[in-house]
Amino acid sequence: MILILTGNLILGDVDKAYAPAFNDDSWRMLDLPHDWSVEQNYTTDETAGSTGFLPTGIGWYRKLFVIPETSRDKKIHIEFDGIFSNSRVWINGHFLGDRRRY
């Protein structure tokens, strides 16, 4: 089953966007999963050859998960499917890990 979630996106690096209290009200709201690169124009500048000449760079996605009280003591799994290279993941301000391209 694919679950469509609503999240927020901004392109570029944003200081402390991982913090739970960070205000992302000005960010674009969209459905997840999402790939911001495919919305860009094709280019020969600043590309990673494997992306078909679509721009690469930094994009932040933020999603609020509300876990019901009935799941408080249960193990919860969140799967990130289709993340490209050099990703970093935070949950509730805690760094979980990263996926480096190399």
Side-chain angles (χ1 to χ4, degrees), residues 16-60:
K16 298 184 182 174
Y18 58 84
F22 183 86
N23 184 346
D24 62 4
D25 289 345
S26 65
W27 292 21
R28 177 180 163 201
M29 186 177 279
L30 46 74
D31 290 335
L32 301 173
H34 179 266
D35 180 355
W36 63 263
S37 182
V38 299
E39 296 178 339
Q40 308 302 309
N41 293 322
Y42 283 86
T43 181
T44 57
D45 299 328
E46 300 182 38
T47 60
S50 63
T51 64
F53 297 103
L54 286 170
T56 60
I58 296 173
W60 277 87

